[in-house]
Amino acid sequence: AAASFRRAIAILPNLIEAHINLGVVLHDQGHLEDALQCAQSAVNRDPKSVAALNNLGVVLRDMGRFDEAMKFYAAAVSLGSSLVKVQSNEEDDLQSSDCDDHVLMNPLRPQKFKHQLAEVEHNSALLLLMSGDFAAGWKAYESRWHCDLPGFDVRASGFPEWRGEDGEGAVLVWGEQGLGDKVLYSSMIPDLMALGHKVVMETDERLIGLLERSFPGVRAVPKRNPPDEATQRSDIRWQSALASLGRWLRPDLASFPQRVSYLVADESRKNRYRAHLAATGIASPVVGISWISQNPNIGLHKTLDLKQWTPILQIPNVRFVNLQYGDTALERAEVEARLGVRIEQIPDLNLYDDIDGVAALAASCDMVISVSNTTAHLAAALGKPTWVLVPASVGNLWYWMRGTSQTPWYPTATIFRQPKIGQWSSVIIEIEKRLKESDQLPPPFLVFLIEC
């Protein structure tokens, strides 16, 4: 793709779309300096291109140049709004005339600019939320429904949207985005119930048991078509997308509750897993680990090879447990053969499908260290000390915030950030140092086996 766009630029140096698209490809490859040149080149050629301004903002954001990015987003929003208004007026004029072929006469349709504007507003929203400007961020985040984004599908239910009302009446809340996002945003369910509402949750089937245990009184049902009959209960008055609750329940930092956790693991399974670990000789502090994100769009940028964890895995008096979903047997066997370090695996626990089991296993650990994936969300929502490895650019998701090692979503989480794209080594070294010094782990303890 990059070669094709470069060829297009060689033929037509002022072809804006080629400069924009080459910048997108280079950005996705992680070549941000080159992507910046392409994005800037597109803006220089057409300072009034909404798409060019938006893409330049995206590159600057992922380079950590947040204030500069916001300026270009603001310019794109202002320009896009004007174009939508102008084109809409032209559309109205043509429709009121006697011309029947106004569509052909007016190829720059208002919808085109509305779509571009939604993309800019969505990118702006992510930066506002990351910066802690929740009031403006949530409002702009509603633009996600007008973007072509995977996992963002409006769930039509026929009920009016909940907009912060209190009092009697159930709210149908439907999950959106990935599994980790559903875990994150479900932290607002207790606040919704505190307003006097009953809650019916449409969500990933794997979360049902965990959510109903954690939020007594909530009715959780699988999100499917046709919808579960519980989504049409007679007492339902409103509906809301899960993340849209934030506009009313998390308008600022002060609105985040001071609670350590909100998910509750299965206590019997938690005790059973801890007993299993003790029976296998794990008497040292136990650290659960996860090193892969299988997100099809950005997972590569958040993922490490297990071999990169070597300095951590070689820390004495610490034992490690596998929390990584997927088939990792070969990687773990290679580490054990090379380092003599065994990463314990709980037999017959499906770490992808059995989310309730994963939560119980994470709860049985003393600490969890994970890349930004579902495991990190689960562990932090359970209130476990959770150390999260976050990439420098693509995959640096807004809820890990900016310029801080903390996030208001998870009080027990500590964020370790890449200093530059692809540079995980310094992050690993910092975690090794902190783990050796950590007061979040209990001291090694003795297990006495008494034969009667």
Side-chain angles (χ1 to χ4, degrees):
S4 297
F5 290 132
R6 287 191 175 98
R7 177 61 178 155
I9 291 170
I11 296 170
L12 293 172
N14 290 323
L15 184 62
I16 302 300
E17 291 82 356
H19 289 276
I20 292 174
N21 290 336
L22 177 57
V24 170
V25 171
L26 293 170
H27 172 272
D28 289 348
Q29 292 176 328
H31 305 312
L32 293 193
E33 290 291 347
D34 294 333
L36 178 62
Q37 291 183 17
C38 290
Q40 186 66 65
S41 180
V43 171
N44 291 343
R45 285 171 168 78
D46 187 0
K48 294 186 177 180
S49 168
V50 175
L53 291 166
N54 179 48
N55 283 4
L56 181 54
V58 169
V59 176
L60 288 167
R61 178 198 68 194
D62 286 343
M63 296 180 76
R65 294 161 64 173
F66 301 112
D67 294 335
E68 293 175 76
M70 260 329 282
K71 291 179 182 178
F72 286 102
Y73 287 149
V77 167
S78 176
L79 182 63
S81 299
S82 299
L83 288 171
V84 168
K85 183 176 181 180
V86 168
Q87 290 298 317
S88 295
N89 289 338
E90 289 181 2
E91 173 88 355
D92 292 339
D93 291 342
L94 286 166
Q95 286 181 338
S96 62
S97 71
D98 295 330
C99 180
D100 293 328
D101 56 352
H102 64 273
V103 173
L104 296 177
M105 292 178 63
N106 187 23
L108 297 177
R109 309 288 291 152
Q111 191 60 38
K112 170 186 175 182
F113 293 112
K114 288 178 182 177
H115 180 74
Q116 288 183 347
L117 182 58
E119 290 186 356
V120 179
E121 288 181 332
H122 176 258
N123 288 330
S124 177
L126 298 179
L127 197 51
L128 288 166
L129 291 168
M130 179 184 284
S131 302
D133 188 350
F134 291 102
W138 288 124
K139 183 178 179 181
Y141 197 50
E142 290 301 303
S143 63
R144 67 192 185 280
W145 306 120
H146 306 290
C147 301
D148 185 17
L149 298 170
F152 290 79
D153 54 328
V154 176
R155 189 72 165 168
S157 64
F159 299 106
E161 182 182 2
W162 183 76
R163 300 177 66 84
E165 296 91 344
D166 57 10
E168 295 183 359
V171 182
L172 171 62
V173 180
W174 42 279
E176 55 172 302
Q177 306 175 49
L179 197 67
D181 301 281
K182 292 181 178 69
V183 171
L184 175 94
Y185 297 128
S186 70
S187 63
M188 294 183 282
I189 294 300
D191 303 76
L192 183 60
M193 298 176 73
L195 293 175
H197 297 303
K198 295 179 181 178
V199 175
V200 178
M201 286 190 70
E202 252 194 333
T203 190
D204 191 299
E205 191 166 9
R206 294 172 291 176
L207 290 173
I208 290 176
L210 181 60
L211 293 177
E212 288 192 336
R213 181 188 311 108
S214 302
F215 310 131
V218 165
R219 174 69 188 280
V221 298
K223 187 179 178 183
R224 62 191 179 197
N225 289 311
D228 189 283
E229 62 181 14
T231 64
Q232 296 298 315
R233 280 177 15 182
S234 60
D235 61 337
I236 294 177
R237 291 183 57 188
W238 302 279
Q239 59 79 29
S240 177
L242 186 56
S244 293
L245 296 175
R247 187 173 179 184
W248 317 108
L249 300 176
R250 298 290 184 271
D252 49 40
L253 281 173
S255 61
F256 283 80
Q258 298 301 307
R259 56 175 173 242
V260 173
S261 65
Y262 55 89
L263 292 187
V264 179
D266 184 321
E267 191 69 18
S268 63
R269 294 185 76 175
K270 170 187 169 182
N271 293 336
R272 188 163 73 247
Y273 292 147
R274 188 71 185 195
H276 171 82
L277 297 175
T280 57
I282 299 186
S284 300
V286 176
V287 176
I289 62 171
S290 180
W291 59 96
I292 299 170
S293 168
Q294 293 184 355
N295 184 297
N297 301 305
I298 58 175
L300 180 64
H301 300 278
K302 300 194 290 178
T303 295
L304 283 78
D305 191 298
L306 186 57
K307 288 181 287 192
Q308 293 176 270
W309 288 59
T310 295
I312 298 173
L313 298 176
Q314 289 183 313
I315 296 176
N317 300 322
V318 177
R319 301 297 296 272
F320 298 94
V321 174
N322 181 35
L323 291 175
Q324 179 59 56
Y325 48 84
D327 185 2
T328 63
L330 183 59
E331 279 187 279
R332 288 183 286 108
E334 288 177 349
V335 164
E336 184 171 2
R338 184 168 56 89
L339 303 178
V341 175
R342 176 177 174 79
I343 300 173
E344 186 65 28
Q345 176 83 9
I346 299 296
D348 302 322
L349 173 58
N350 187 317
L351 293 167
Y352 181 82
D353 289 324
D354 189 355
I355 296 300
D356 210 12
V358 176
L361 181 56
S364 73
C365 296
D366 297 303
M367 172 186 286
V368 171
I369 304 176
S370 176
V371 298
S372 172
N373 62 11
T374 299
T375 301
H377 288 285
L378 283 171
L382 289 162
K384 302 304 297 185
T386 305
W387 292 1
V388 188
L389 289 72
V390 173
S393 60
V394 183
N396 178 15
L397 301 174
W398 73 263
Y399 38 71
W400 301 126
M401 310 308 287
R402 56 175 281 202
T404 175
S405 62
Q406 305 299 315
T407 170
W409 293 96
Y410 300 123
T412 63
T414 302
I415 300 160
F416 293 81
R417 304 180 188 276
Q418 268 188 342
K420 293 183 179 179
I421 296 174
Q423 292 188 9
W424 287 115
S425 58
S426 60
V427 177
I428 295 296
I429 291 171
E430 176 64 17
I431 290 177
E432 176 198 16
K433 176 177 179 291
R434 293 276 295 275
L435 192 59
K436 287 178 177 178
E437 301 170 349
S438 177
D439 58 1
Q440 293 184 302
L441 287 176
F445 53 88
L446 299 177
V447 175
F448 294 93
L449 300 179
I450 304 175
E451 184 175 354
C452 298

